[in-house]
């Protein structure tokens, strides 16, 4: 029997409902939670805004986010002596264990974190105590490579978070223009559209078409068979597990 965590989901930007939080942090913070324990077994995701606030957090999970608007700043390190500042299209990787402050000016992000059950999951005794660095991946520095030229049109990707950086999630950018790329997911993924129109063609005999535009989010669970299509579409995707390819070979 199919459960909520097995379904392909579309979250429309125009229908997202935000709740204000962290009133004590000054300024304005709001959040719209999309993937939670109610509909996901692995990834947690949502959209949050930061404007004039300063929110402290100790990372009890790995998180990756992309900026959808404004400026977002992460302070970290000893006495918050280090900082990264991200703008539209920039991606930030926040490994578990870091103590950080989230700040911003009219900032809005799409975030994905693992695990979804971080609040109740016991600490991993295998953890060696090492904490990875916060990393900023600038949009202007991203290098794309063409993928699946036999699928017509043009599709490309830029791998961002890979197994050499992460033990949990992977992340990448993609473009789809007049192509039709057939694929089956070997992982759970969450994708946000940054530009153009993305179409996910799925279902029996590919009879279901999901169309997404800027700010819309699509969740594809592991085992989904579908086609990527699009018109000048640009997307950001986070997935779990990062080492899906190596697992598939076993």
């Amino acid at each position: 029997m199919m459960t909520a965590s097995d379904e392909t989901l579309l979250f429309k930007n125009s229908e997202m409902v935000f709740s204000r939080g962290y009133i004590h942090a000054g300024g304005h913070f709001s959040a719209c939670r999309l993937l939670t324990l109610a509909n996901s077994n692995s990834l947690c995701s949502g959209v949050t805004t930061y404007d004039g606030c300063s929110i402290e957090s100790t990372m009890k999970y790995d998180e990756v986010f992309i900026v959808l608007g404004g400026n977002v700043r992460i302070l970290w390190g000893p006495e918050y002596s280090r900082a990264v500042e991200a703008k539209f299209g920039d991606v930030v990787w926040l490994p578990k264990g870091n103590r950080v402050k989230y700040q911003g000016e009219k900032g809005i992000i799409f975030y994905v974190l693992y695990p979804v059950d971080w609040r109740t999951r016991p600490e991993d005794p295998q953890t060696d105590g090492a904490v990875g660095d916060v990393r900023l991946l600038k949009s202007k520095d991203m290098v794309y490579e063409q993928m699946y030229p036999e699928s017509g049109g043009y599709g490309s990707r830029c791998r961002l978070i890979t197994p050499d950086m992460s033990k949990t999630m992977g992340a990448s950018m993609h473009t789809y223009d007049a192509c039709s790329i057939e694929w089956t997911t070997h992982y759970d993924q969450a994708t946000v559209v940054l530009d153009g129109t993305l179409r996910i063609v799925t279902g029996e005999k590919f009879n279901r078409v999901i169309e997404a535009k800027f700010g819309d989010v699509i969740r594809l669970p592991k085992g989904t068979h579908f086609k990527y299509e699009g018109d000048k579409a640009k997307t950001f995707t986070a997935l779990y597990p990062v080492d899906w390819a190596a697992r598939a070979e076993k």
Side-chain angles (χ1 to χ4, degrees):
M1 182 177 65
M2 181 174 286
T3 65
S5 60
D6 298 321
E7 298 177 7
T8 297
L9 300 175
L10 170 64
F11 302 94
K12 298 291 288 185
N13 183 27
S14 60
E15 298 172 359
M16 293 180 187
V17 178
F18 288 78
S19 300
R20 191 174 180 188
Y22 295 104
I23 308 298
H24 63 280
H28 183 89
F29 167 85
S30 64
C32 175
R33 293 175 175 85
L34 302 176
L35 293 181
T36 66
L37 282 168
N39 58 13
S40 174
N41 292 326
S42 58
L43 298 174
C44 177
S45 76
V47 178
T48 50
T49 70
Y50 306 87
D51 192 19
C53 53
S54 184
I55 298 170
E56 285 189 83
S57 179
T58 297
M59 310 298 295
K60 296 183 179 180
Y61 40 77
D62 289 329
E63 177 181 347
V64 62
F65 70 76
I66 188 166
V67 179
L68 301 180
N71 299 325
V72 176
R73 193 164 42 257
I74 300 295
L75 306 182
W76 63 293
E79 299 181 355
Y80 299 115
S81 57
R82 304 179 69 177
V84 297
E85 184 154 348
K87 298 184 179 182
F88 177 74
D90 294 344
V91 172
V92 177
W93 169 242
L94 298 166
K96 179 180 177 180
N98 278 285
R99 180 74 175 167
V100 303
K101 286 184 181 179
Y102 295 83
Q103 300 178 349
E105 292 79 42
K106 301 187 184 302
I108 180 168
I109 68 170
F110 168 67
Y111 71 85
V112 184
L113 61 86
Y114 176 88
V116 65
D117 60 348
W118 63 271
R119 294 180 185 274
T120 57
R121 178 174 293 206
E123 288 292 325
D124 184 355
Q126 300 299 319
T127 302
D128 60 9
V131 177
D133 286 346
V134 173
R135 297 185 65 169
L136 171 64
L137 304 163
K138 300 285 288 184
S139 176
K140 66 180 181 62
D141 297 328
M142 295 177 187
V143 178
Y144 291 75
E145 59 180 356
Q146 186 177 7
M147 59 181 185
Y148 305 107
E150 70 278 6
S151 299
Y154 189 84
S156 67
R157 65 188 162 208
C158 173
R159 294 184 175 94
L160 301 174
I161 309 297
T162 57
D164 63 330
M165 293 172 56
S166 166
K167 295 180 180 179
T168 57
M169 290 190 295
S172 55
M173 306 288 294
H174 293 87
T175 68
Y176 307 95
D177 191 25
C179 54
S180 184
I181 300 172
E182 191 169 342
W183 187 248
T184 299
T185 54
H186 298 274
Y187 39 76
D188 293 328
Q189 78 173 58
T191 295
V192 65
V193 178
L194 304 177
D195 198 8
T197 301
L198 173 69
R199 283 184 297 277
I200 298 295
V201 185
T202 186
E204 186 178 353
K205 298 182 180 180
F206 299 112
N207 60 352
R208 181 187 180 193
V209 180
I210 300 171
E211 189 167 280
K213 297 181 183 290
F214 175 77
D216 295 345
V217 173
I218 297 175
R219 191 281 298 279
L220 294 171
K222 181 180 178 180
T224 304
H225 187 59
F226 66 102
K227 294 178 182 179
Y228 286 108
E229 297 181 357
D231 302 311
K232 300 186 185 304
K234 186 175 185 179
T235 68
F236 167 78
T237 292
L239 59 84
Y240 172 84
V242 64
D243 60 348
W244 65 269
R247 295 188 189 199
E249 292 174 356
K250 292 181 179 179

